[in-house]
Structure formats: C-alpha cells, structure tokens
Amino acid sequence: MNAQTGTPAAPARIGSVSTGAALELRGVQKMFGALAAIADVTMTVASGERRAVLGSNGAGKTTLFNCVTGDFLPTSGTIRLFGEDVTTFPAHERVRRGLRRTYQISLLFGGLTVADNVYLACRGVSRARFSMLRPRQGDTLLSRAEELIEAVNLTDASSTMVANLSYGQQRQLEIALALAGAPRLILFDEPAAGLSPTERGELVRLLTNLPEHIGYVIIEHDMDVALRVAESVTMMHNGTVFKEGTPEEIENDAEVQELYLGDGHG
Amino acid sequence: MALAEPPLDRSASRERPEAGWVERIPPVWWALGLFLLTLPAYANDFILFQVFGWTFILGMIALSLMFLAGYGGMVSLIQMSVAAMAGYMVAIFGTSGIAEISMDLPWWLYVPIAIIIAAIFGTIVGALAVRTEGIYTIMITLAIAAAFFYFTRQNYTIFNGYTGFNLVVPPRLFGVDWREPMPFYYLTLGWATLAYGVVIYVSRAPFGLALQGIRDNPRRMAALGFNVTAHRVAAYTFASIIAAVAGILLVWQNAQIAPGTAGIPAVIDILVIAVIGGIGRPIGPFIGALIYVLLRTFSPDVLLAFGLSGERFKLLIGLGFLALVFFSPDGVLGLWDRWRARRAQMARDGGLR
C-alpha cells in the first residue's frame, strides 16, 4: 500500500517493468557440515520486481541472501545476476553489477559520522575508490551523499557519529547505504526489525517510493510491512522454497497459514 | 576498535567557512614547529644528529607501522625490513666502500630505485599478509623479517653478507654536506614532517577513510563495493614508501648498513616505539621514537652512575615498556588523552558548583 495515497500500489506494478531477470537462482544449496541451510533453491526475480521472502527462523532466508551477495559461496547451484553468472564472484564484484544489501543487525561504521558512512558507500561503487585526494566542495559524490541522507530523513543527524544514533536511525542509515551508487537490486534483511510503528510507516513509504527500476527482495517478519511493500512472495521452509505467489495468494493459503501465519492471522 | 582519527567533519567546516588551514592548527603545534626549526640555535651537534635525527627516522618507520595498524588494523613487523631494503638498495646502486658490488649510479637514479624496490618488497609481503588477521599477520611478517635478516647475512653476492656496506653517505647537493649535523637535522625534520602531513591528509581522504572502514568492518566494506584485499595491499605499498624514505635516511645517518639493521631486535623495537607512543594517532610514533632514543642514548650513563653495567639499557627500555603497557595500553597518547579528559571533567564539575 502506498502510505501517501492509501492505495495498494504494489500489485499494479507486477510485470510492468520486468525487462528480464535481475536474479536467477538454480538449484542453490549451502551446506554447513552435514546441515543443508538451503537446499535446491530455484527462484527468479525480474528486473524491478519487489519480492518478499518469508519463513520462520532457520528457514534459510539470510543464508540465501549471503549466497546471493557473495558472503557465502554456495555448495552447489548457480546464481545469475542480470544475466551474468556470478556464482563464484567476490562480494564487491556483485556490488559493482548493481546488487546492494542491508543487514539484519546493522553493520555500520560507528566511529564515523552519518555523512562519512554514506560518502563511503557512494565511493565504493565509484571509480576513485583508491583516491588519496580529499573531496572538494562541489564533489558530486558529496552532493549525492547529502541527497541520500535527506531521503532517509537523517539530514539533522548528518554530522552525528553513527554510534550515537538511535536504533531506528541506524536502520534508516542502513537503507541509505544500500541506495548509494546505482543499485538495480537491493536485498533488505529485516529492515523493520526493532522499529517503532511510526518508523515502520516511514519505511513502507520509503520502499514503495523507490524508483521503479530498482527491484528488491525483502526478508521481513512483520507481515504487515512485507505484504504492503511486495508484489510477490516466496515462502521458505527448512531451507527450501515452499510456496510462491502474490501477497493475497500467500495470505489466503491454508498451508502457509498453518505453517507460518497461524490460524488467527487475517 | 575506535577510529584512529576523528572523522571528516564537513559540517564543522561549513559552520566556520572563514577558518583557513592556518587558523585550524592549534597554537601548541605552532610552538612545536618554532621549537624544532630553531633547535640548531641552542642544541649541540650530538642532540641534533644523534637524538633528533634518529628520532625522526625511527618515528617515520614506526609511522608506517602506525598507518597499517591504527588505520588498517594490520600489525606488520616488516616495516624495519622494508626500510633496510631501501638502505641496501642505496648502497648497492649508489656508492659505498664495497666498490665491487656498488654500481655508483647518480643519486637521482638510485634514490627512486631504492624506494621502488622497497615498496615492491613491502607490497609483496602485504599481499601475503593481508590474507591473515591478528596474531597471524604478526607471525607471518615476523617470519619474513627473520628470513630477510638471514638472507642478507648469508648472501655475499648482493648484500655482502655479515659485513654489509660502509661509507654510504648522502650526495653533496647545493654545496651542502647533508651528513653534517645541522643539514642532516633539517633533512630528517623535513621528511618526517612531510610523512606526518601526508599520513594525516590521506587518513581523511577516501583511501584512508575506506581503510578505516575495512579495519572496522571488512564484510560491510565489501558489500559497499570495496575490494578489501586490494585496499589492504595498497595500504602496505603506501606504508612501505614512508618506511623506504626513512631507510634511506637511516643508511645515510649510520653511513653503513648491515644485516643487524633489520635484525629481529630492530624489528621488535619499531613495534615497541609505536606502542609506547600510541598507534591511535600519527604523532604517537614520533613520541615513542623520542622516548626510545632518549632511553637508548642516555640510560647507559644512568646505569653506570648507579654502578650497573651500561649494557643493561634494554632492561630499562623493557621495564618502561611493561609499565606503560600496564598503565596505558594506548601509549603515551592514551595517558595524555585521559589527563585532558579528567581536566575537562574537573572544569565541568567546578562550573556546576
């Protein structure tokens, strides 16, 4: 639902900007010793698509993210990003192809200011990563960093050390880092965790107002948030894809309700 | 780990647009600069050449370690070996008492060659070391430093083995004998100031900021598009250039170089210097170097005055090191910071009353 207009915005976008697969997983498996954290996961996310990945704790959602981002190399299977096989690519190479992510537990640079965190994120995908020259006034990356800070409502905290931010502000900053550069697909790992109801409303507004060419996959336990910001849903259970469909289909599925949502939902 | 330097505070500079770089330098730095510039007017040759010249050189080598450890979280014990490599290259490509090995090239050729070869050496070691972390980085760099020491001691074709090279002196430029105490003092002061300034500048440039980010959270930096391994290796290259310049000055100061220059005790001394001063800020290594040089230079006299053997000066250094690490793990800078914090707290308490 679009927080500003109050209308369900997401379903209307299904297929409207799909110009090919942003992410294709084929038979992806990740073993930790004898334990299969994810097994034979096959899934396609179209360009610009907004997908929620749901499942109980231990279903393998974050492991799936880690395999996509390159934090973990899958034990078997292939991962294609915008048509390119990136299965063995290191994390930074995938980022340079338009992939971004946020983390379940904020991974920020507590000793740097908000502005420096976002500036670093902008630098990471620019050509001048190794520059030994300080940015000058009018540096386009500085301007871009300021825009991102404004987009996540952190302008007043721009020069605050990240360690001194509230938890909610740190989650907002996580999103700003993910938006730096030119993202084409963002993986959000429980972005609403620990946020107040007001902050969750802000998050929904932010996600639904992202430019159409930016697709995302979101892991979220708050069903209200997940189903409002996603066009499609993948349910995971015990490391496998259990069901796929639209938010309405998933919400009304008896098996899903029994496994995950509980009888009282809806 | 806390950041080694205060971060970029662009908002502060926006609030005070009229504050130029001159105004931003605290008065204590101006006083220190004036003191160092005028020191030859009231210090003898020994103080200039042996105490301050040596302090600046050791400070620069420890500064290269501080850059890697403080900003990059990589405690490298190879920095003294890199400096010694540059010193050896000066002796080999330049002029020395070992005419059958030295090539007698002009200074404008052998100085850059020495820096480049030492930087390549440091980069290769870095490429090996950055794949490890913590104690393993220390061990791998110590192992390579030990290998370098034994190699130079046993190789007579290039490094002239145990004897090394003597009569390695700086070139006579602009009619100045740069090994005279006062010119040498200004030479080392100039290079130390430049190295210090460059480290300060780079620490707040994208390269330095990213290095600090990598130190704090390499996984996150990779997720931002940074090649963590390449960045760490580049940091070794940068640090090696500083160590190489210091190594050239060191060989000119001693007029000789031998395997002992980069022996295990010398390698450990650089770590001790950096830790005594504090690896949190670039000034720390120079403070540590001054303390080390003063102890090293004058403690034998003190010991002799108490009827003890002057050779036991290392005992004093060791005890001082132990005491400092025990009371202030972040070195003299840590003591200074805590003293200032306590004074500020007392001032606030006084204000409340």
Side-chain angles (χ1 to χ4, degrees):
Chain A
M1 181 182 285
N2 188 313
Q4 286 182 322
T5 61
T7 54
R13 294 183 64 263
I14 291 183
S16 61
V17 290
S18 295
T19 55
L23 179 68
E24 281 180 87
L25 306 178
R26 292 281 171 268
V28 173
Q29 184 180 42
K30 179 63 188 174
M31 302 289 293
F32 293 108
L35 174 75
I38 51 173
D40 196 26
V41 171
T42 295
M43 173 177 162
T44 303
V45 178
S47 286
E49 184 183 338
R50 284 138 193 224
R51 169 86 58 105
V53 175
L54 307 179
S56 52
N57 285 332
K61 307 182 297 293
T62 298
T63 303
L64 180 72
F65 268 23
N66 286 333
C67 286
V68 173
T69 57
D71 287 330
F72 296 159
L73 284 181
T75 310
S76 61
T78 58
I79 299 168
R80 300 180 79 83
L81 200 59
F82 301 103
E84 188 177 7
D85 187 345
V86 298
T87 312
T88 56
F89 281 26
H92 65 270
E93 289 291 349
R94 302 180 196 211
V95 172
R96 290 173 196 173
R97 281 159 177 77
L99 180 70
R100 303 284 186 280
R101 78 168 292 180
T102 67
Y103 288 86
Q104 198 173 342
I105 299 164
S106 295
L107 288 181
L108 301 165
F109 308 106
L112 292 176
T113 63
V114 169
D116 287 339
N117 269 259
V118 182
Y119 181 71
L120 267 184
C122 294
R123 270 284 171 188
V125 286
S126 74
R127 287 178 182 274
R129 282 179 294 273
F130 290 94
S131 172
M132 296 212 178
L133 298 176
R134 291 187 189 178
R136 292 167 175 236
Q137 291 290 335
D139 184 329
T140 50
L141 292 182
L142 279 179
S143 318
R144 177 64 187 141
E146 283 170 12
E147 284 169 23
L148 287 169
I149 291 166
E150 194 179 339
V152 296
N153 295 325
L154 285 175
T155 305
D156 291 342
S158 181
S159 55
T160 306
M161 299 289 253
V162 168
N164 299 329
L165 292 181
S166 71
Y167 182 78
Q169 287 175 313
Q170 290 193 9
R171 302 302 293 175
Q172 286 167 268
L173 181 57
E174 273 276 346
I175 292 170
L177 299 195
L179 293 173
R184 291 195 285 169
L185 177 67
I186 306 175
L187 310 182
F188 292 107
D189 197 348
E190 297 193 32
L195 297 188
S196 67
T198 313
E199 289 167 336
R200 284 173 189 233
E202 281 291 311
L203 175 71
V204 169
R205 186 187 62 77
L206 185 76
L207 293 180
T208 50
N209 285 342
L210 284 177
E212 290 212 344
H213 71 276
I214 300 178
Y216 57 75
V217 181
I218 181 170
I219 295 174
E220 187 51 64
H221 283 294
D222 183 331
M223 295 300 291
D224 192 39
V225 171
L227 299 179
R228 279 164 71 193
V229 301
E231 304 160 345
S232 54
V233 179
T234 297
M235 285 295 301
M236 288 189 73
H237 183 62
N238 285 342
T240 59
V241 173
F242 168 64
K243 197 144 278 188
E244 285 188 316
T246 63
E248 291 76 20
E249 286 168 351
I250 293 295
E251 208 169 8
N252 297 323
D253 189 280
E255 279 184 294
V256 171
Q257 287 200 8
E258 189 181 326
L259 255 175
Y260 185 67
L261 301 177
D263 292 338
H265 186 83
Chain B
M1 186 191 278
L3 283 173
E5 273 289 328
L8 274 176
D9 190 355
R10 284 181 279 271
S11 64
S13 59
R14 278 199 298 270
E15 285 162 13
R16 292 182 286 109
E18 75 284 358
W21 66 272
V22 175
E23 288 86 354
R24 276 186 271 144
I25 296 175
V28 68
W29 284 101
W30 288 111
L32 179 65
L34 192 66
F35 168 73
L36 291 174
L37 282 173
T38 56
L39 189 65
Y42 33 84
N44 63 30
D45 287 352
F46 179 79
I47 295 290
L48 291 180
F49 187 82
Q50 200 56 42
V51 175
F52 278 90
W54 199 20
T55 294
F56 294 140
I57 292 168
L58 290 180
M60 283 174 70
I61 302 172
L63 177 69
S64 73
L65 167 58
M66 177 271 147
F67 182 79
L68 292 172
Y71 294 133
M74 301 173 284
V75 181
S76 159
L77 293 184
I78 202 67
Q79 301 316 111
M80 190 67 217
S81 307
V82 171
M85 175 66 95
Y88 266 114
M89 292 306 115
V90 164
I92 291 166
F93 288 99
T95 311
S96 79
I98 314 298
E100 53 272 29
I101 295 179
S102 293
M103 296 181 182
D104 208 13
L105 295 178
W107 72 269
W108 50 266
L109 205 52
Y110 73 70
V111 166
I113 287 175
I115 293 172
I116 289 167
I117 290 177
I120 291 170
F121 173 55
T123 306
I124 292 170
V125 175
L128 293 169
V130 297
R131 284 161 176 78
T132 60
E133 284 192 0
I135 186 74
Y136 301 103
T137 305
I138 297 174
M139 290 310 296
I140 198 166
T141 49
L142 180 63
I144 297 170
F148 179 77
F149 165 68
Y150 285 111
F151 181 75
T152 53
R153 203 167 75 160
Q154 291 164 12
N155 180 286
Y156 281 84
T157 316
I158 303 169
F159 293 96
N160 201 34
Y162 191 80
T163 340
F165 298 83
N166 61 353
L167 299 176
V168 188
V169 291
R172 198 178 177 87
L173 284 178
F174 313 113
V176 177
D177 179 357
W178 290 98
R179 205 166 173 273
E180 282 291 308
M182 191 163 70
F184 191 77
Y185 168 81
Y186 281 119
L187 183 68
T188 52
L189 173 64
W191 280 107
T193 307
L194 184 66
Y196 175 80
V198 166
V199 166
I200 290 276
Y201 181 86
V202 168
S203 72
R204 297 178 204 174
F207 180 79
L209 277 178
L211 188 64
Q212 292 166 67
I214 286 168
R215 174 202 62 197
D216 287 351
N217 206 326
R219 187 180 170 203
R220 180 45 139 161
M221 289 301 283
L224 293 180
F226 288 92
N227 184 338
V228 171
T229 303
H231 217 93
R232 284 174 167 161
V233 174
Y236 266 90
T237 308
F238 178 81
S240 297
I241 292 170
I242 295 172
V245 172
I248 293 171
L249 295 172
L250 185 65
V251 73
W252 283 345
Q253 186 189 36
N254 295 331
Q256 60 96 33
I257 187 157
T261 306
I264 302 303
V267 164
I268 302 293
D269 282 349
I270 295 300
L271 179 65
V272 170
I273 287 168
V275 172
I276 284 178
I279 57 168
R281 291 202 289 275
I283 194 64
F286 291 101
I287 295 171
L290 181 62
I291 294 170
Y292 175 86
V293 169
L294 289 175
L295 277 172
R296 182 85 192 251
T297 308
F298 297 109
S299 59
D301 297 335
V302 176
L303 288 168
L304 285 172
F306 284 97
L308 298 166
S309 166
E311 288 173 4
R312 294 190 187 279
F313 70 90
K314 287 233 165 185
L315 181 69
L316 275 186
I317 294 175
L319 287 174
F321 181 68
L322 273 178
L324 195 75
V325 170
F326 185 76
F327 290 110
S328 178
D330 39 3
V332 172
L333 279 179
L335 285 175
W336 169 250
D337 288 341
R338 276 190 290 281
W339 178 78
R340 284 181 63 182
R342 204 162 38 238
R343 204 176 64 154
Q345 183 64 43
M346 282 167 67
R348 274 198 298 275
D349 292 347
L352 286 174
R353 277 189 228 112

